[in-house]
Amino acid sequence: MKTAFRTVLLLLLSLYSLTGLAQNMIEGVRIWPSPDNTRVVFDLSDQPDYSYFFLKQPDRLVIDFKNTDNIAELTQLPKDGDRIKRIRTSLSKGKRAVRIVLDLSNQYDEKVFALPPTGPYGNRLVVDLHDRQKTPLVTRKPRLKNRDIVIGIDAGHGGEDPGSISKSGTHEKKITLSIAKRLQRIINAEPGMKAEMIRTGDYYVNLNQRTRLARKKQVDFLVSIHADAFHSPRPRGASVWIANDRRAESELSKWLKNREKNSELLGGGGELIKRTNDDNLAVFIADLTKDKSLEISDRIARNVIAELQKVTRMHKTQPQNASLAVLKSSDIPSMLVETGFISNPYDFKNLMSRTHQEKLAKAMFNGIKKHFYDYPPQDSLIANMRPTKHKISRGESLSVVAQRYNVSVQQLKLANNLKTDVVRVGQTLTIPRVN
């Protein structure tokens, strides 16, 4: 009944437009609450002609749509959102106009913009209401001794951005969040490790905001989870992507232009960058940070590929380099995992399987865990939990073992009463604890 009424109303409004009345229609309203902002999307039949302003006591956002009629249901608000009390219409000054009022619970920073038709969506007007920040987003807190190693998990897309869409209409954003939550659970079950989610529900997080959130949460590593797509159903398999040197260099140069503001993000090395008057020294220190980040990213990516090969077909068997926004921060080691092709029927079937999602999450975890057990940060709990003995395997040298456990070759030789650097396969070494 409602569908029939809506169809008739659309036809009537279309006839009205032919007789010189409103040319545009508000066909629907969608609301996407998130921890830091709320996005309101007005679906329209044509490109919007609009203006807006705020009123106080009480706080309201008023939007005037020119030459527009409204057939959208405005009474439905999500239960988990508290920034918007009500959306309603009000009297408009124009005869062929609609005035929409958002009754707000507080004052917010706004961003209002129109979007053209793309993917499953037509013309839209987007309203983003952001909480006003009382403190800088990137303030670093001192880390505690024996701390957890923090892994940031970024579920790709979300909210208004569905990502790729399967033939059956399943959105990539749904798959990525499901896998991300499984990875979160596995990481949090591991002593000495903690997961931090970039998004926890179906809402959109700006790409730049994703890395800012990762930095705010002081992650040691960031993994972004996606599902690939292609115009042909033939390609299939997983792949792992890391930042290329060119992107890292570009981001590094931007940071160095504003050393005073950005250096705090780099921890101890950042203080040196901020205080030195020597530009060459600043570049050298920042470059070391970038190189270390890329080295860690590449090492973990290779670990994860080795684990993924055990549970799924691989589209690429080596880490791929790309200039991707979520991988842009030269101070945060990171990787992007394409878990399969949503456009391939075999991959899609697997990606919709809870069992397969669990295997993918476990493989990612195993690859990440291997690195941090081999090279734990010195202030982490895992660094103090590591083995005190190591058995030499084929191809291992004293320097390789020293690097793995973050000790010097000399410390290894003293702990094991070694006169030379020569070790033999099967030999067991004592690993000294170094504070």
Side-chain angles (χ1 to χ4, degrees):
M1 190 68 180
K2 285 184 178 180
T3 303
F5 174 75
R6 181 183 175 88
T7 303
V8 172
L9 189 54
L10 282 169
L11 289 171
L12 287 174
L13 289 171
S14 298
L15 290 173
Y16 289 163
S17 67
L18 294 174
T19 61
L21 295 178
Q23 297 296 312
N24 205 349
M25 286 178 285
I26 301 175
E27 298 175 340
V29 181
R30 291 172 288 124
I31 305 175
W32 307 94
S34 77
D36 299 314
N37 65 18
T38 293
R39 170 166 286 191
V40 183
V41 182
F42 295 92
D43 293 306
L44 298 126
S45 60
D46 204 348
Q47 184 176 350
D49 183 2
Y50 68 95
S51 61
Y52 71 92
F53 57 92
F54 283 94
L55 295 173
K56 295 182 179 180
Q57 296 179 345
D59 293 308
R60 287 155 287 165
L61 171 60
V62 181
I63 309 172
D64 286 325
F65 292 87
K66 299 177 183 177
N67 201 25
T68 302
D69 284 314
N70 174 55
I71 61 169
E73 174 62 60
L74 302 178
T75 59
Q76 298 294 324
L77 288 175
K79 294 179 181 179
D80 55 347
D82 57 2
R83 296 179 184 89
I84 301 173
K85 295 180 180 179
R86 182 173 56 152
I87 300 181
R88 57 185 172 87
T89 57
S90 183
L91 292 177
S92 176
K93 293 181 179 180
K95 290 184 179 180
R96 286 182 282 173
V98 172
R99 171 166 286 185
I100 302 291
V101 179
L102 280 65
D103 292 325
L104 307 176
S105 60
N106 209 330
Q107 295 180 18
Y108 301 99
D109 294 327
E110 90 286 356
K111 186 176 181 182
V112 182
F113 56 95
L115 288 175
T118 180
Y121 301 118
N123 284 284
R124 289 153 288 164
L125 183 72
V126 178
V127 178
D128 283 337
L129 299 171
H130 295 270
D131 294 340
R132 292 181 173 176
Q133 296 292 333
K134 296 180 180 179
T135 57
L137 183 62
V138 294
T139 301
R140 283 184 80 95
K141 298 178 181 179
R143 284 181 157 170
L144 302 175
K145 187 73 174 175
N146 292 336
R147 67 174 180 86
D148 289 334
I149 293 172
V150 183
I151 308 300
I153 306 174
D154 172 44
H157 308 283
E160 181 69 4
D161 175 14
S164 302
I165 303 174
S166 73
K167 281 188 174 181
S168 62
T170 300
H171 293 178
E172 178 187 354
K173 64 178 183 178
K174 178 181 177 182
I175 295 172
T176 62
L177 185 60
S178 180
I179 296 173
K181 287 182 175 179
R182 293 177 186 279
L183 179 57
Q184 177 193 30
R185 189 196 73 250
I186 295 170
I187 290 173
N188 284 337
E190 180 71 18
M193 298 185 75
K194 181 177 73 171
E196 289 283 3
M197 297 283 280
I198 300 302
R199 73 173 175 98
T200 57
D202 188 12
Y203 52 85
Y204 180 72
V205 181
N206 180 277
L207 292 175
N208 291 327
Q209 178 75 350
R210 292 176 195 242
T211 52
R212 283 197 294 267
L213 286 171
R215 192 176 287 113
K216 180 183 178 182
K217 296 171 185 292
Q218 296 185 274
V219 306
D220 293 280
F221 186 75
L222 175 64
V223 53
S224 185
I225 300 172
H226 289 255
D228 220 332
F230 197 64
H231 57 79
S232 162
R234 292 184 63 186
R236 63 174 299 198
S239 56
V240 180
W241 297 75
I242 59 176
N244 59 19
D245 287 336
R246 186 175 179 181
R247 179 62 183 256
E249 290 287 356
S250 173
E251 291 302 320
L252 186 62
S253 64
K254 290 178 184 177
W255 274 39
L256 289 172
K257 286 179 181 178
N258 198 347
R259 275 197 264 157
E260 184 72 22
K261 178 180 178 182
N262 293 329
S263 58
E264 66 183 59
L265 309 180
L266 295 174
E271 281 300 310
L272 290 174
I273 292 172
K274 181 169 69 173
R275 293 177 182 178
T276 181
N277 292 321
D278 187 337
D279 287 341
N280 291 327
L281 178 59
V283 171
F284 174 72
I285 296 170
D287 201 48
L288 286 178
T289 302
K290 180 211 70 176
D291 288 345
K292 185 66 174 177
S293 176
L294 292 176
E295 177 188 344
I296 293 171
S297 300
D298 181 76
R299 188 179 292 146
I300 295 179
R302 293 179 186 278
N303 289 349
V304 169
I305 287 172
E307 295 296 328
L308 286 172
Q309 286 177 320
K310 300 174 184 178
V311 300
T312 192
R313 176 181 290 193
M314 298 301 297
H315 183 63
K316 301 288 185 181
T317 57
Q318 295 293 322
Q320 303 298 297
N321 298 101
S323 180
L324 301 170
V326 76
L327 305 178
K328 73 175 188 177
S329 294
S330 58
D331 61 311
I332 303 177
S334 56
M335 70 179 177
L336 185 149
V337 179
E338 295 282 6
T339 52
F341 280 80
I342 198 172
S343 52
N344 177 275
Y346 300 101
D347 276 3
F348 176 68
K349 182 179 178 181
N350 282 335
L351 290 172
M352 293 297 290
S353 162
R354 295 180 181 179
T355 301
H356 188 72
Q357 288 181 2
E358 189 76 12
K359 288 179 180 178
L360 291 172
K362 187 68 174 177
M364 283 184 263
F365 167 72
N366 286 340
I368 295 169
K369 176 185 174 181
K370 182 180 188 309
H371 169 81
F372 284 108
Y373 268 76
D374 286 350
Y375 307 98
Q378 291 187 357
D379 60 349
S380 67
L381 176 64
I382 287 178
N384 290 324
M385 291 167 50
R386 67 187 179 190
T388 57
K389 299 289 183 181
H390 178 86
K391 190 174 184 179
I392 298 294
S393 301
R394 186 176 301 277
E396 285 187 324
S397 64
L398 204 61
S399 61
V400 168
V401 177
Q403 184 183 23
R404 175 172 180 174
Y405 293 102
N406 285 330
V407 298
S408 69
V409 170
Q410 185 62 28
Q411 287 168 333
L412 269 181
K413 290 172 72 173
L414 288 173
N416 293 275
N417 197 26
L418 299 176
K419 304 300 182 184
T420 69
D421 292 352
V422 178
V423 289
R424 65 181 185 279
V425 175
Q427 183 177 354
T428 299
L429 298 180
T430 297
I431 307 300
R433 292 194 179 275
V434 180
N435 294 325

Short mmCIF file of all heavy atoms in Angstrom, two decimals, residues 122-155:
data_model
loop_
_atom_site.label_atom_id
_atom_site.label_comp_id
_atom_site.label_asym_id
_atom_site.label_seq_id
_atom_site.Cartn_x
_atom_site.Cartn_y
_atom_site.Cartn_z
N GLY A 122 21.78 8.36 -6.24
CA GLY A 122 21.51 9.45 -7.16
C GLY A 122 22.07 10.75 -6.60
O GLY A 122 23.05 10.76 -5.86
N ASN A 123 21.43 11.86 -6.92
CA ASN A 123 21.85 13.15 -6.38
C ASN A 123 21.62 13.19 -4.87
O ASN A 123 20.60 12.68 -4.38
CB ASN A 123 21.06 14.28 -7.05
CG ASN A 123 21.55 14.56 -8.45
OD1 ASN A 123 22.58 15.17 -8.65
ND2 ASN A 123 20.79 14.08 -9.44
N ARG A 124 22.57 13.81 -4.16
CA ARG A 124 22.47 13.86 -2.70
C ARG A 124 22.95 15.21 -2.18
O ARG A 124 23.81 15.85 -2.78
CB ARG A 124 23.35 12.78 -2.07
CG ARG A 124 22.87 11.35 -2.24
CD ARG A 124 24.03 10.38 -2.19
NE ARG A 124 24.86 10.47 -3.37
CZ ARG A 124 26.09 9.97 -3.48
NH1 ARG A 124 26.64 9.36 -2.44
NH2 ARG A 124 26.77 10.08 -4.60
N LEU A 125 22.39 15.58 -1.04
CA LEU A 125 22.96 16.67 -0.24
C LEU A 125 23.41 16.05 1.07
O LEU A 125 22.63 15.39 1.77
CB LEU A 125 21.93 17.77 0.03
CG LEU A 125 22.52 18.96 0.81
CD1 LEU A 125 23.45 19.77 -0.08
CD2 LEU A 125 21.43 19.85 1.39
N VAL A 126 24.68 16.25 1.40
CA VAL A 126 25.28 15.64 2.59
C VAL A 126 25.51 16.71 3.65
O VAL A 126 26.05 17.77 3.36
CB VAL A 126 26.61 14.94 2.25
CG1 VAL A 126 27.26 14.35 3.49
CG2 VAL A 126 26.39 13.86 1.20
N VAL A 127 25.10 16.41 4.88
CA VAL A 127 25.34 17.29 6.02
C VAL A 127 26.15 16.51 7.05
O VAL A 127 25.68 15.50 7.58
CB VAL A 127 24.02 17.77 6.66
CG1 VAL A 127 24.31 18.65 7.88
CG2 VAL A 127 23.17 18.52 5.64
N ASP A 128 27.38 16.95 7.32
CA ASP A 128 28.21 16.35 8.35
C ASP A 128 28.25 17.27 9.56
O ASP A 128 28.60 18.44 9.45
CB ASP A 128 29.64 16.13 7.84
CG ASP A 128 29.75 14.94 6.93
OD1 ASP A 128 28.90 14.05 7.00
OD2 ASP A 128 30.71 14.89 6.12
N LEU A 129 27.88 16.74 10.72
CA LEU A 129 27.92 17.48 11.98
C LEU A 129 29.02 16.87 12.84
O LEU A 129 28.92 15.72 13.28
CB LEU A 129 26.57 17.40 12.70
CG LEU A 129 25.38 17.99 11.93
CD1 LEU A 129 24.08 17.66 12.64
CD2 LEU A 129 25.53 19.50 11.78
N HIS A 130 30.09 17.64 13.08
CA HIS A 130 31.25 17.14 13.81
C HIS A 130 31.28 17.71 15.23
O HIS A 130 31.04 18.90 15.44
CB HIS A 130 32.55 17.55 13.10
CG HIS A 130 32.71 16.92 11.75
ND1 HIS A 130 33.34 15.71 11.56
CD2 HIS A 130 32.31 17.33 10.52
CE1 HIS A 130 33.34 15.40 10.28
NE2 HIS A 130 32.72 16.37 9.62
N ASP A 131 31.59 16.84 16.19
CA ASP A 131 31.80 17.31 17.57
C ASP A 131 32.96 18.29 17.59
O ASP A 131 33.98 18.08 16.93
CB ASP A 131 32.11 16.13 18.50
CG ASP A 131 30.93 15.18 18.64
OD1 ASP A 131 29.80 15.60 18.35
OD2 ASP A 131 31.17 14.03 19.04
N ARG A 132 32.82 19.33 18.36
CA ARG A 132 33.89 20.31 18.47
C ARG A 132 34.97 19.78 19.40
O ARG A 132 34.68 19.38 20.53
CB ARG A 132 33.34 21.65 18.97
CG ARG A 132 32.43 22.29 17.93
CD ARG A 132 31.88 23.63 18.37
NE ARG A 132 31.16 24.27 17.26
CZ ARG A 132 30.51 25.41 17.35
NH1 ARG A 132 30.47 26.05 18.51
NH2 ARG A 132 29.89 25.92 16.30
N GLN A 133 36.22 19.79 18.93
CA GLN A 133 37.33 19.23 19.70
C GLN A 133 37.78 20.22 20.77
O GLN A 133 38.10 21.38 20.48
CB GLN A 133 38.52 18.91 18.77
CG GLN A 133 38.20 17.83 17.75
CD GLN A 133 38.00 16.48 18.38
OE1 GLN A 133 38.55 16.21 19.44
NE2 GLN A 133 37.21 15.63 17.74
N LYS A 134 37.79 19.76 22.01
CA LYS A 134 38.26 20.60 23.12
C LYS A 134 39.78 20.52 23.28
O LYS A 134 40.41 21.41 23.80
CB LYS A 134 37.57 20.18 24.42
CG LYS A 134 36.06 20.40 24.39
CD LYS A 134 35.42 19.97 25.70
CE LYS A 134 33.91 20.18 25.66
NZ LYS A 134 33.26 19.75 26.93
N THR A 135 40.35 19.39 22.86
CA THR A 135 41.80 19.21 22.95
C THR A 135 42.30 18.74 21.60
O THR A 135 41.54 18.14 20.83
CB THR A 135 42.17 18.15 24.02
OG1 THR A 135 41.49 16.92 23.71
CG2 THR A 135 41.73 18.61 25.39
N PRO A 136 43.56 18.98 21.27
CA PRO A 136 44.09 18.53 19.98
C PRO A 136 43.95 17.03 19.82
O PRO A 136 44.15 16.26 20.76
CB PRO A 136 45.58 18.94 20.06
CG PRO A 136 45.63 20.03 21.06
CD PRO A 136 44.55 19.71 22.06
N LEU A 137 43.59 16.61 18.61
CA LEU A 137 43.34 15.20 18.35
C LEU A 137 44.58 14.33 18.50
O LEU A 137 44.52 13.17 18.86
CB LEU A 137 42.78 15.04 16.92
CG LEU A 137 42.37 13.63 16.47
CD1 LEU A 137 41.24 13.12 17.35
CD2 LEU A 137 41.95 13.63 15.02
N VAL A 138 45.77 14.90 18.27
CA VAL A 138 46.98 14.08 18.17
C VAL A 138 47.88 14.17 19.39
O VAL A 138 49.05 13.85 19.34
CB VAL A 138 47.77 14.48 16.90
CG1 VAL A 138 46.99 14.14 15.67
CG2 VAL A 138 48.11 15.96 16.95
N THR A 139 47.36 14.63 20.53
CA THR A 139 48.19 14.72 21.73
C THR A 139 48.70 13.33 22.12
O THR A 139 47.91 12.39 22.30
CB THR A 139 47.39 15.32 22.90
OG1 THR A 139 46.95 16.61 22.51
CG2 THR A 139 48.23 15.41 24.15
N ARG A 140 50.00 13.19 22.29
CA ARG A 140 50.57 11.90 22.65
C ARG A 140 50.66 11.76 24.16
O ARG A 140 51.04 12.69 24.87
CB ARG A 140 51.99 11.75 22.08
CG ARG A 140 52.02 11.42 20.61
CD ARG A 140 53.45 11.20 20.17
NE ARG A 140 53.93 9.88 20.52
CZ ARG A 140 53.90 8.85 19.70
NH1 ARG A 140 53.41 8.98 18.50
NH2 ARG A 140 54.38 7.68 20.07
N LYS A 141 50.29 10.61 24.67
CA LYS A 141 50.41 10.33 26.09
C LYS A 141 51.66 9.48 26.30
O LYS A 141 52.01 8.66 25.46
CB LYS A 141 49.17 9.57 26.58
CG LYS A 141 47.88 10.35 26.45
CD LYS A 141 46.70 9.50 26.91
CE LYS A 141 45.38 10.24 26.75
NZ LYS A 141 44.23 9.42 27.16
N PRO A 142 52.35 9.67 27.43
CA PRO A 142 53.52 8.82 27.70
C PRO A 142 53.11 7.36 27.83
O PRO A 142 52.07 7.04 28.41
CB PRO A 142 54.04 9.36 29.04
CG PRO A 142 52.90 10.10 29.64
CD PRO A 142 52.08 10.62 28.51
N ARG A 143 53.90 6.49 27.24
CA ARG A 143 53.57 5.06 27.28
C ARG A 143 54.11 4.42 28.54
O ARG A 143 55.17 4.79 29.04
CB ARG A 143 54.14 4.37 26.04
CG ARG A 143 53.31 4.67 24.80
CD ARG A 143 53.87 3.97 23.59
NE ARG A 143 52.84 3.81 22.57
CZ ARG A 143 53.07 3.41 21.33
NH1 ARG A 143 54.30 3.15 20.96
NH2 ARG A 143 52.09 3.29 20.48
N LEU A 144 53.37 3.45 29.03
CA LEU A 144 53.73 2.77 30.26
C LEU A 144 54.69 1.61 29.97
O LEU A 144 54.72 1.06 28.87
CB LEU A 144 52.47 2.23 30.95
CG LEU A 144 51.40 3.26 31.31
CD1 LEU A 144 50.17 2.56 31.87
CD2 LEU A 144 51.94 4.28 32.31
N LYS A 145 55.46 1.25 30.98
CA LYS A 145 56.34 0.08 30.87
C LYS A 145 55.48 -1.17 30.82
O LYS A 145 54.41 -1.25 31.42
CB LYS A 145 57.27 0.04 32.09
CG LYS A 145 58.34 -1.03 32.03
CD LYS A 145 59.42 -0.68 31.04
CE LYS A 145 60.55 -1.70 31.11
NZ LYS A 145 61.57 -1.47 30.08
N ASN A 146 55.94 -2.17 30.08
CA ASN A 146 55.20 -3.43 29.91
C ASN A 146 53.82 -3.20 29.30
O ASN A 146 52.83 -3.82 29.69
CB ASN A 146 55.07 -4.18 31.24
CG ASN A 146 56.39 -4.71 31.74
OD1 ASN A 146 57.32 -4.93 30.96
ND2 ASN A 146 56.51 -4.88 33.04
N ARG A 147 53.75 -2.30 28.35
CA ARG A 147 52.49 -1.95 27.70
C ARG A 147 52.08 -2.99 26.68
O ARG A 147 52.89 -3.83 26.25
CB ARG A 147 52.63 -0.61 26.99
CG ARG A 147 53.60 -0.65 25.81
CD ARG A 147 53.62 0.65 25.04
NE ARG A 147 54.55 0.61 23.92
CZ ARG A 147 54.24 0.15 22.71
NH1 ARG A 147 53.03 -0.35 22.47
NH2 ARG A 147 55.13 0.14 21.74
N ASP A 148 50.80 -2.95 26.29
CA ASP A 148 50.31 -3.79 25.21
C ASP A 148 50.80 -3.23 23.87
O ASP A 148 50.92 -2.01 23.69
CB ASP A 148 48.78 -3.81 25.19
CG ASP A 148 48.20 -4.60 26.35
OD1 ASP A 148 48.89 -5.50 26.86
OD2 ASP A 148 47.05 -4.31 26.74
N ILE A 149 51.07 -4.10 22.93
CA ILE A 149 51.32 -3.69 21.54
C ILE A 149 49.96 -3.43 20.91
O ILE A 149 49.06 -4.28 20.95
CB ILE A 149 52.09 -4.78 20.78
CG1 ILE A 149 53.50 -4.91 21.36
CG2 ILE A 149 52.13 -4.50 19.29
CD1 ILE A 149 54.28 -6.09 20.82
N VAL A 150 49.79 -2.25 20.34
CA VAL A 150 48.47 -1.81 19.85
C VAL A 150 48.39 -1.97 18.34
O VAL A 150 49.21 -1.42 17.59
CB VAL A 150 48.21 -0.34 20.24
CG1 VAL A 150 46.81 0.08 19.79
CG2 VAL A 150 48.37 -0.14 21.74
N ILE A 151 47.39 -2.71 17.89
CA ILE A 151 47.16 -2.93 16.46
C ILE A 151 45.88 -2.19 16.07
O ILE A 151 44.80 -2.48 16.59
CB ILE A 151 47.01 -4.44 16.13
CG1 ILE A 151 48.20 -5.23 16.68
CG2 ILE A 151 46.87 -4.62 14.62
CD1 ILE A 151 49.55 -4.80 16.15
N GLY A 152 46.00 -1.24 15.16
CA GLY A 152 44.83 -0.53 14.65
C GLY A 152 44.19 -1.34 13.54
O GLY A 152 44.88 -1.88 12.66
N ILE A 153 42.87 -1.45 13.57
CA ILE A 153 42.13 -2.21 12.56
C ILE A 153 41.15 -1.26 11.86
O ILE A 153 40.26 -0.69 12.48
CB ILE A 153 41.35 -3.39 13.18
CG1 ILE A 153 42.29 -4.27 14.00
CG2 ILE A 153 40.67 -4.21 12.09
CD1 ILE A 153 41.57 -5.37 14.76
N ASP A 154 41.34 -1.10 10.56
CA ASP A 154 40.51 -0.22 9.76
C ASP A 154 39.63 -1.04 8.83
O ASP A 154 40.12 -1.63 7.86
CB ASP A 154 41.40 0.74 8.96
CG ASP A 154 40.61 1.55 7.96
OD1 ASP A 154 39.53 2.04 8.33
OD2 ASP A 154 41.06 1.70 6.80
N ALA A 155 38.33 -1.11 9.14
CA ALA A 155 37.38 -1.78 8.24
C ALA A 155 37.05 -0.81 7.11
O ALA A 155 36.49 0.25 7.33
CB ALA A 155 36.12 -2.17 9.01
#
